[in-house]
Amino acid sequence: MIRLLLLLALTFGLASSASADDIAATGRGVVRVVTIAVVDDQVVGFGHGSGFAVAPNRIVTNAHVVDLAERYPDNVVVGIVPTEGTKSYQGKVIAYDSQRDLALIEFTGARLPPSALYTGPMNEGDAVVSLGFPGNVDLATARSAADYIRPMTPVRSEGVLSGRRVLSDIEVLLHTASIARGNSGGPLLDRCGRVIGVNSAITRGEDGDSTFGFAIADTELAGFLRDSKQPYASIGTGCTSIEDRLRQDSDADARATADAASARRDAAAQDALAREGAVEKARTEAARTRENVMAIAGLLLVAGALVIGSAGLLESRGQRRQAIWAVSVGGVAVLVAIIVFVLRPSGEVEVPLSALPKSRLATPDAALGKLMCTLIPERSRITISSSEDVPIEWGAKGCMNGKTQYVGARNLGGGGRFDRVLVPDAEQTVSVLSFDPATRIYSNTRYLMSAAGMAAARTARGIVPNVCGMDDTALAKLTSQQAAIRAVLPPLPNEKLVYSCKSAR
């Protein structure tokens, strides 16, 4: 009967959702792992634990959770029950390490948001959070076997890190977050939702003793994933609240904008000086040319007068023919002198724009070409994303990478920044992307959404062509769409990645 219910749940199920905070964001990838062993149509073993996604279709859990599947692979059904969605899925164990008490399960039919490992330092007393499906809660709330295979949000418990220990040559984390049977394989998180360990065991509370939890340490988990050739996301930056980061980044943005405005004023002043110098130089050249022309006219006039005067001397000597030539040549010289004087340059000049020095100022709508953007850690908050450099190509009038139109925030009273809200079909994340051509600051503000939240965002998105060079009507429609998406986003994002961009050349 239980096996039948499990197989039915692999096809049908109920939806659930999680709130949009850091722990709930990680909870989207937490699953219940169910194992049922059947021999000769008889159920000989039933177990369940927890797990979490390290890839869209791969789950980490404890080895002892799937021990039945390892020992009886032909007789054990492994069920993966997500926290959201409408189905459960069948998986298979693809890596198993009994020493580290870790296993890797692969399944098909859905994509889960992967969790990231935190590889930075953790101190004793730091807050930790456990996510999973404790069996004592199941016993208190489950009405039937179907409740074990129905998608639901994981149970959250909080505590502190009590230290690192070594058990059977394996590094473990000792903590005070409440866990029970069924939490095995679930993640132990820092307060930003990054995985620091895999819950695996609890101490016995005898004679009033407090209970403590043990989690396989991040170092062992990372080693297991490397040995399994499973890529995973890792973050080494410390945990800062999103409120503090947004406030600090707003101040940094204001400083960057002020610095850009100051640089723009300096460039404008240098442009003005350069243009004034170019005009003064042109005027000096024009005055010199005028003086030279007047000098030439004077020389021609004197030369013509001398030649005409020589005609009288030639006439007195009886050289009439030569005298006529002298008068003609002298007259022409005098006439040319008069014409040159009359047509002399005025000394005033208008310098064409093409002859002026090129401006140091770039207009907000100008293309910047290919840029390489490098993360600014002190302005960023990362929980799952990569910190690698991001190449972009900024075209004219807000065209990103030759295909995505950004909306100029200055049209909405926001200065020279351009924005675009992206809602993907295959990922549970909404990204608000911004680029300021003046400061060359590129940012990605990410909302790690629940399934219900993504459905609302996709409805608000509708259909808008992803092209550049939109006309005014299409641009107005895009602006309205962006506002509609923003209206359904949570009050605060989970991540903000801020980059400084420089020319890729």
Side-chain angles (χ1 to χ4, degrees), residues 413-450:
R417 193 183 72 247
F418 289 81
D419 297 328
R420 182 67 188 263
V421 185
L422 296 183
V423 183
D425 289 323
E427 184 183 352
Q428 282 187 231
T429 302
V430 175
S431 294
V432 180
L433 304 174
S434 299
F435 182 69
D436 190 335
T439 61
R440 297 199 177 188
I441 295 297
Y442 175 67
S443 67
N444 182 358
T445 304
R446 289 165 54 86
Y447 295 78
L448 308 182
M449 306 284 284
S450 66

mmCIF file of all heavy atoms in Angstrom, residues 413-450:
data_model
loop_
_atom_site.group_PDB
_atom_site.id
_atom_site.type_symbol
_atom_site.label_atom_id
_atom_site.label_comp_id
_atom_site.label_asym_id
_atom_site.label_seq_id
_atom_site.Cartn_x
_atom_site.Cartn_y
_atom_site.Cartn_z
ATOM 1 N N GLY A 413 12.743 59.901 -14.040
ATOM 2 C CA GLY A 413 13.273 60.775 -13.000
ATOM 3 C C GLY A 413 14.428 60.166 -12.247
ATOM 4 O O GLY A 413 14.736 60.574 -11.133
ATOM 5 N N GLY A 414 15.120 59.174 -12.821
ATOM 6 C CA GLY A 414 16.181 58.477 -12.107
ATOM 7 C C GLY A 414 17.573 58.738 -12.613
ATOM 8 O O GLY A 414 18.455 57.919 -12.420
ATOM 9 N N GLY A 415 17.836 59.831 -13.308
ATOM 10 C CA GLY A 415 19.191 60.133 -13.758
ATOM 11 C C GLY A 415 19.529 59.398 -15.038
ATOM 12 O O GLY A 415 18.675 59.160 -15.882
ATOM 13 N N GLY A 416 20.807 59.031 -15.196
ATOM 14 C CA GLY A 416 21.267 58.453 -16.452
ATOM 15 C C GLY A 416 21.355 56.946 -16.453
ATOM 16 O O GLY A 416 21.980 56.366 -17.331
ATOM 17 N N ARG A 417 20.781 56.251 -15.467
ATOM 18 C CA ARG A 417 20.865 54.799 -15.365
ATOM 19 C C ARG A 417 19.845 54.140 -16.286
ATOM 20 O O ARG A 417 18.768 54.674 -16.549
ATOM 21 C CB ARG A 417 20.613 54.372 -13.920
ATOM 22 C CG ARG A 417 20.975 52.924 -13.625
ATOM 23 C CD ARG A 417 20.629 52.551 -12.194
ATOM 24 N NE ARG A 417 19.190 52.430 -12.026
ATOM 25 C CZ ARG A 417 18.445 53.234 -11.300
ATOM 26 N NH1 ARG A 417 18.990 54.268 -10.666
ATOM 27 N NH2 ARG A 417 17.143 53.042 -11.198
ATOM 28 N N PHE A 418 20.182 52.957 -16.775
ATOM 29 C CA PHE A 418 19.273 52.137 -17.570
ATOM 30 C C PHE A 418 18.972 50.852 -16.812
ATOM 31 O O PHE A 418 19.870 50.251 -16.218
ATOM 32 C CB PHE A 418 19.894 51.795 -18.923
ATOM 33 C CG PHE A 418 19.999 52.958 -19.872
ATOM 34 C CD1 PHE A 418 21.047 53.868 -19.763
ATOM 35 C CD2 PHE A 418 19.058 53.147 -20.865
ATOM 36 C CE1 PHE A 418 21.147 54.937 -20.634
ATOM 37 C CE2 PHE A 418 19.154 54.215 -21.747
ATOM 38 C CZ PHE A 418 20.203 55.116 -21.625
ATOM 39 N N ASP A 419 17.698 50.399 -16.840
ATOM 40 C CA ASP A 419 17.269 49.212 -16.094
ATOM 41 C C ASP A 419 16.544 48.226 -16.997
ATOM 42 O O ASP A 419 15.967 48.597 -18.017
ATOM 43 C CB ASP A 419 16.312 49.590 -14.946
ATOM 44 C CG ASP A 419 16.968 50.482 -13.907
ATOM 45 O OD1 ASP A 419 18.176 50.335 -13.703
ATOM 46 O OD2 ASP A 419 16.258 51.323 -13.320
ATOM 47 N N ARG A 420 16.566 46.962 -16.573
ATOM 48 C CA ARG A 420 15.750 45.935 -17.210
ATOM 49 C C ARG A 420 15.464 44.834 -16.198
ATOM 50 O O ARG A 420 16.373 44.360 -15.503
ATOM 51 C CB ARG A 420 16.460 45.343 -18.428
ATOM 52 C CG ARG A 420 15.632 44.285 -19.192
ATOM 53 C CD ARG A 420 14.412 44.902 -19.856
ATOM 54 N NE ARG A 420 13.525 43.916 -20.428
ATOM 55 C CZ ARG A 420 13.519 43.554 -21.710
ATOM 56 N NH1 ARG A 420 14.383 44.095 -22.542
ATOM 57 N NH2 ARG A 420 12.656 42.665 -22.153
ATOM 58 N N VAL A 421 14.213 44.433 -16.073
ATOM 59 C CA VAL A 421 13.814 43.341 -15.187
ATOM 60 C C VAL A 421 13.630 42.093 -16.036
ATOM 61 O O VAL A 421 12.852 42.099 -16.996
ATOM 62 C CB VAL A 421 12.506 43.668 -14.430
ATOM 63 C CG1 VAL A 421 12.193 42.567 -13.436
ATOM 64 C CG2 VAL A 421 12.614 45.013 -13.731
ATOM 65 N N LEU A 422 14.351 41.030 -15.682
ATOM 66 C CA LEU A 422 14.292 39.789 -16.456
ATOM 67 C C LEU A 422 13.627 38.695 -15.638
ATOM 68 O O LEU A 422 13.983 38.464 -14.473
ATOM 69 C CB LEU A 422 15.700 39.345 -16.861
ATOM 70 C CG LEU A 422 16.462 40.280 -17.810
ATOM 71 C CD1 LEU A 422 17.806 39.665 -18.182
ATOM 72 C CD2 LEU A 422 15.648 40.571 -19.065
ATOM 73 N N VAL A 423 12.665 38.030 -16.250
ATOM 74 C CA VAL A 423 11.940 36.920 -15.607
ATOM 75 C C VAL A 423 12.124 35.685 -16.480
ATOM 76 O O VAL A 423 11.448 35.521 -17.492
ATOM 77 C CB VAL A 423 10.435 37.251 -15.457
ATOM 78 C CG1 VAL A 423 9.716 36.116 -14.730
ATOM 79 C CG2 VAL A 423 10.240 38.570 -14.718
ATOM 80 N N PRO A 424 13.059 34.786 -16.125
ATOM 81 C CA PRO A 424 13.316 33.621 -16.985
ATOM 82 C C PRO A 424 12.240 32.555 -16.842
ATOM 83 O O PRO A 424 11.482 32.531 -15.874
ATOM 84 C CB PRO A 424 14.669 33.109 -16.462
ATOM 85 C CG PRO A 424 14.686 33.527 -15.028
ATOM 86 C CD PRO A 424 13.946 34.838 -14.960
ATOM 87 N N ASP A 425 12.197 31.667 -17.823
ATOM 88 C CA ASP A 425 11.233 30.568 -17.795
ATOM 89 C C ASP A 425 11.774 29.348 -17.055
ATOM 90 O O ASP A 425 10.999 28.554 -16.530
ATOM 91 C CB ASP A 425 10.846 30.158 -19.219
ATOM 92 C CG ASP A 425 9.976 31.206 -19.898
ATOM 93 O OD1 ASP A 425 9.133 31.809 -19.209
ATOM 94 O OD2 ASP A 425 10.156 31.431 -21.109
ATOM 95 N N ALA A 426 13.093 29.175 -17.027
ATOM 96 C CA ALA A 426 13.667 27.935 -16.503
ATOM 97 C C ALA A 426 14.363 28.115 -15.161
ATOM 98 O O ALA A 426 15.078 27.231 -14.722
ATOM 99 C CB ALA A 426 14.650 27.356 -17.522
ATOM 100 N N GLU A 427 14.175 29.231 -14.509
ATOM 101 C CA GLU A 427 14.865 29.481 -13.244
ATOM 102 C C GLU A 427 13.932 30.224 -12.305
ATOM 103 O O GLU A 427 13.137 31.060 -12.745
ATOM 104 C CB GLU A 427 16.129 30.314 -13.498
ATOM 105 C CG GLU A 427 16.970 30.560 -12.261
ATOM 106 C CD GLU A 427 18.164 31.445 -12.564
ATOM 107 O OE1 GLU A 427 18.420 31.731 -13.751
ATOM 108 O OE2 GLU A 427 18.834 31.869 -11.604
ATOM 109 N N GLN A 428 14.043 29.944 -11.001
ATOM 110 C CA GLN A 428 13.184 30.605 -10.019
ATOM 111 C C GLN A 428 13.865 31.849 -9.457
ATOM 112 O O GLN A 428 14.027 32.013 -8.245
ATOM 113 C CB GLN A 428 12.834 29.630 -8.887
ATOM 114 C CG GLN A 428 11.751 28.617 -9.265
ATOM 115 C CD GLN A 428 11.299 27.789 -8.084
ATOM 116 O OE1 GLN A 428 11.261 26.577 -8.160
ATOM 117 N NE2 GLN A 428 10.946 28.430 -6.988
ATOM 118 N N THR A 429 14.258 32.731 -10.346
ATOM 119 C CA THR A 429 14.956 33.949 -9.947
ATOM 120 C C THR A 429 14.537 35.092 -10.858
ATOM 121 O O THR A 429 14.510 34.934 -12.082
ATOM 122 C CB THR A 429 16.482 33.772 -10.039
ATOM 123 O OG1 THR A 429 16.876 32.687 -9.213
ATOM 124 C CG2 THR A 429 17.202 35.030 -9.586
ATOM 125 N N VAL A 430 14.214 36.231 -10.262
ATOM 126 C CA VAL A 430 13.960 37.458 -11.025
ATOM 127 C C VAL A 430 15.160 38.380 -10.822
ATOM 128 O O VAL A 430 15.599 38.598 -9.690
ATOM 129 C CB VAL A 430 12.668 38.153 -10.563
ATOM 130 C CG1 VAL A 430 12.495 39.494 -11.274
ATOM 131 C CG2 VAL A 430 11.458 37.258 -10.837
ATOM 132 N N SER A 431 15.693 38.906 -11.915
ATOM 133 C CA SER A 431 16.870 39.770 -11.854
ATOM 134 C C SER A 431 16.519 41.171 -12.317
ATOM 135 O O SER A 431 15.929 41.338 -13.390
ATOM 136 C CB SER A 431 17.992 39.212 -12.738
ATOM 137 O OG SER A 431 18.468 37.978 -12.243
ATOM 138 N N VAL A 432 16.867 42.157 -11.506
ATOM 139 C CA VAL A 432 16.747 43.563 -11.896
ATOM 140 C C VAL A 432 18.154 44.026 -12.264
ATOM 141 O O VAL A 432 19.009 44.204 -11.401
ATOM 142 C CB VAL A 432 16.165 44.420 -10.757
ATOM 143 C CG1 VAL A 432 16.068 45.882 -11.205
ATOM 144 C CG2 VAL A 432 14.795 43.907 -10.344
ATOM 145 N N LEU A 433 18.387 44.204 -13.563
ATOM 146 C CA LEU A 433 19.703 44.566 -14.074
ATOM 147 C C LEU A 433 19.764 46.070 -14.315
ATOM 148 O O LEU A 433 18.818 46.653 -14.840
ATOM 149 C CB LEU A 433 19.989 43.813 -15.371
ATOM 150 C CG LEU A 433 19.888 42.279 -15.284
ATOM 151 C CD1 LEU A 433 20.043 41.654 -16.660
ATOM 152 C CD2 LEU A 433 20.929 41.728 -14.337
ATOM 153 N N SER A 434 20.884 46.688 -13.935
ATOM 154 C CA SER A 434 21.052 48.137 -14.106
ATOM 155 C C SER A 434 22.437 48.431 -14.648
ATOM 156 O O SER A 434 23.407 47.742 -14.303
ATOM 157 C CB SER A 434 20.857 48.872 -12.776
ATOM 158 O OG SER A 434 19.560 48.662 -12.265
ATOM 159 N N PHE A 435 22.515 49.470 -15.476
ATOM 160 C CA PHE A 435 23.813 49.939 -15.964
ATOM 161 C C PHE A 435 23.782 51.453 -16.067
ATOM 162 O O PHE A 435 22.836 52.026 -16.600
ATOM 163 C CB PHE A 435 24.148 49.339 -17.332
ATOM 164 C CG PHE A 435 25.503 49.759 -17.838
ATOM 165 C CD1 PHE A 435 26.657 49.302 -17.227
ATOM 166 C CD2 PHE A 435 25.612 50.638 -18.907
ATOM 167 C CE1 PHE A 435 27.912 49.692 -17.681
ATOM 168 C CE2 PHE A 435 26.859 51.032 -19.367
ATOM 169 C CZ PHE A 435 28.013 50.565 -18.747
ATOM 170 N N ASP A 436 24.825 52.081 -15.518
ATOM 171 C CA ASP A 436 24.970 53.535 -15.583
ATOM 172 C C ASP A 436 26.157 53.858 -16.477
ATOM 173 O O ASP A 436 27.312 53.621 -16.099
ATOM 174 C CB ASP A 436 25.197 54.102 -14.183
ATOM 175 C CG ASP A 436 25.116 55.626 -14.158
ATOM 176 O OD1 ASP A 436 25.355 56.248 -15.211
ATOM 177 O OD2 ASP A 436 24.819 56.198 -13.093
ATOM 178 N N PRO A 437 25.929 54.367 -17.684
ATOM 179 C CA PRO A 437 27.044 54.658 -18.591
ATOM 180 C C PRO A 437 28.015 55.694 -18.030
ATOM 181 O O PRO A 437 29.202 55.673 -18.371
ATOM 182 C CB PRO A 437 26.344 55.191 -19.850
ATOM 183 C CG PRO A 437 24.949 54.676 -19.768
ATOM 184 C CD PRO A 437 24.617 54.639 -18.312
ATOM 185 N N ALA A 438 27.528 56.594 -17.170
ATOM 186 C CA ALA A 438 28.401 57.644 -16.634
ATOM 187 C C ALA A 438 29.422 57.065 -15.665
ATOM 188 O O ALA A 438 30.610 57.381 -15.718
ATOM 189 C CB ALA A 438 27.567 58.723 -15.960
ATOM 190 N N THR A 439 28.963 56.193 -14.750
ATOM 191 C CA THR A 439 29.869 55.610 -13.755
ATOM 192 C C THR A 439 30.416 54.261 -14.196
ATOM 193 O O THR A 439 31.347 53.738 -13.582
ATOM 194 C CB THR A 439 29.141 55.419 -12.418
ATOM 195 O OG1 THR A 439 28.033 54.516 -12.603
ATOM 196 C CG2 THR A 439 28.601 56.751 -11.902
ATOM 197 N N ARG A 440 29.800 53.675 -15.233
ATOM 198 C CA ARG A 440 30.143 52.335 -15.719
ATOM 199 C C ARG A 440 29.990 51.294 -14.603
ATOM 200 O O ARG A 440 30.789 50.381 -14.464
ATOM 201 C CB ARG A 440 31.549 52.303 -16.322
ATOM 202 C CG ARG A 440 31.684 53.200 -17.544
ATOM 203 C CD ARG A 440 32.871 52.852 -18.386
ATOM 204 N NE ARG A 440 32.915 53.704 -19.588
ATOM 205 C CZ ARG A 440 33.749 53.532 -20.599
ATOM 206 N NH1 ARG A 440 34.621 52.544 -20.552
ATOM 207 N NH2 ARG A 440 33.730 54.333 -21.638
ATOM 208 N N ILE A 441 28.940 51.465 -13.813
ATOM 209 C CA ILE A 441 28.591 50.507 -12.769
ATOM 210 C C ILE A 441 27.435 49.647 -13.270
ATOM 211 O O ILE A 441 26.391 50.165 -13.683
ATOM 212 C CB ILE A 441 28.193 51.221 -11.465
ATOM 213 C CG1 ILE A 441 29.389 51.978 -10.886
ATOM 214 C CG2 ILE A 441 27.676 50.213 -10.448
ATOM 215 C CD1 ILE A 441 30.556 51.102 -10.470
ATOM 216 N N TYR A 442 27.639 48.345 -13.246
ATOM 217 C CA TYR A 442 26.631 47.372 -13.661
ATOM 218 C C TYR A 442 26.215 46.577 -12.424
ATOM 219 O O TYR A 442 27.066 46.173 -11.631
ATOM 220 C CB TYR A 442 27.225 46.437 -14.719
ATOM 221 C CG TYR A 442 26.335 45.296 -15.149
ATOM 222 C CD1 TYR A 442 25.164 45.531 -15.852
ATOM 223 C CD2 TYR A 442 26.690 43.977 -14.873
ATOM 224 C CE1 TYR A 442 24.357 44.470 -16.265
ATOM 225 C CE2 TYR A 442 25.889 42.915 -15.277
ATOM 226 C CZ TYR A 442 24.727 43.169 -15.975
ATOM 227 O OH TYR A 442 23.927 42.134 -16.380
ATOM 228 N N SER A 443 24.924 46.386 -12.221
ATOM 229 C CA SER A 443 24.467 45.657 -11.037
ATOM 230 C C SER A 443 23.370 44.670 -11.398
ATOM 231 O O SER A 443 22.608 44.868 -12.351
ATOM 232 C CB SER A 443 23.967 46.627 -9.958
ATOM 233 O OG SER A 443 22.786 47.289 -10.387
ATOM 234 N N ASN A 444 23.319 43.603 -10.613
ATOM 235 C CA ASN A 444 22.307 42.557 -10.771
ATOM 236 C C ASN A 444 21.678 42.314 -9.407
ATOM 237 O O ASN A 444 22.309 41.748 -8.511
ATOM 238 C CB ASN A 444 22.947 41.276 -11.307
ATOM 239 C CG ASN A 444 21.933 40.171 -11.548
ATOM 240 O OD1 ASN A 444 20.754 40.335 -11.284
ATOM 241 N ND2 ASN A 444 22.395 39.038 -12.044
ATOM 242 N N THR A 445 20.452 42.793 -9.228
ATOM 243 C CA THR A 445 19.716 42.601 -7.980
ATOM 244 C C THR A 445 18.793 41.407 -8.166
ATOM 245 O O THR A 445 17.900 41.434 -9.018
ATOM 246 C CB THR A 445 18.910 43.858 -7.619
ATOM 247 O OG1 THR A 445 19.807 44.981 -7.550
ATOM 248 C CG2 THR A 445 18.210 43.697 -6.291
ATOM 249 N N ARG A 446 19.013 40.338 -7.373
ATOM 250 C CA ARG A 446 18.350 39.061 -7.611
ATOM 251 C C ARG A 446 17.343 38.730 -6.504
ATOM 252 O O ARG A 446 17.646 38.848 -5.318
ATOM 253 C CB ARG A 446 19.393 37.940 -7.712
ATOM 254 C CG ARG A 446 20.213 38.022 -8.983
ATOM 255 C CD ARG A 446 21.462 37.148 -8.917
ATOM 256 N NE ARG A 446 21.182 35.769 -8.572
ATOM 257 C CZ ARG A 446 20.839 34.824 -9.447
ATOM 258 N NH1 ARG A 446 20.712 35.121 -10.732
ATOM 259 N NH2 ARG A 446 20.626 33.583 -9.049
ATOM 260 N N TYR A 447 16.167 38.311 -6.930
ATOM 261 C CA TYR A 447 15.107 37.856 -6.032
ATOM 262 C C TYR A 447 14.956 36.346 -6.223
ATOM 263 O O TYR A 447 14.585 35.892 -7.315
ATOM 264 C CB TYR A 447 13.789 38.552 -6.341
ATOM 265 C CG TYR A 447 13.791 40.043 -6.099
ATOM 266 C CD1 TYR A 447 14.371 40.918 -7.017
ATOM 267 C CD2 TYR A 447 13.213 40.594 -4.956
ATOM 268 C CE1 TYR A 447 14.373 42.301 -6.805
ATOM 269 C CE2 TYR A 447 13.210 41.964 -4.735
ATOM 270 C CZ TYR A 447 13.795 42.804 -5.665
ATOM 271 O OH TYR A 447 13.789 44.168 -5.443
ATOM 272 N N LEU A 448 15.252 35.561 -5.190
ATOM 273 C CA LEU A 448 15.132 34.107 -5.261
ATOM 274 C C LEU A 448 13.706 33.750 -4.867
ATOM 275 O O LEU A 448 13.360 33.717 -3.693
ATOM 276 C CB LEU A 448 16.154 33.456 -4.332
ATOM 277 C CG LEU A 448 17.605 33.939 -4.514
ATOM 278 C CD1 LEU A 448 18.538 33.201 -3.571
ATOM 279 C CD2 LEU A 448 18.051 33.799 -5.964
ATOM 280 N N MET A 449 12.893 33.474 -5.861
ATOM 281 C CA MET A 449 11.443 33.438 -5.694
ATOM 282 C C MET A 449 10.917 32.033 -5.428
ATOM 283 O O MET A 449 11.493 31.027 -5.843
ATOM 284 C CB MET A 449 10.776 33.987 -6.956
ATOM 285 C CG MET A 449 11.256 35.369 -7.387
ATOM 286 S SD MET A 449 10.578 36.673 -6.366
ATOM 287 C CE MET A 449 8.908 36.736 -7.019
ATOM 288 N N SER A 450 9.769 32.000 -4.768
ATOM 289 C CA SER A 450 9.010 30.755 -4.632
ATOM 290 C C SER A 450 8.322 30.452 -5.966
ATOM 291 O O SER A 450 8.275 31.286 -6.877
ATOM 292 C CB SER A 450 7.958 30.901 -3.538
ATOM 293 O OG SER A 450 6.974 31.854 -3.929
#
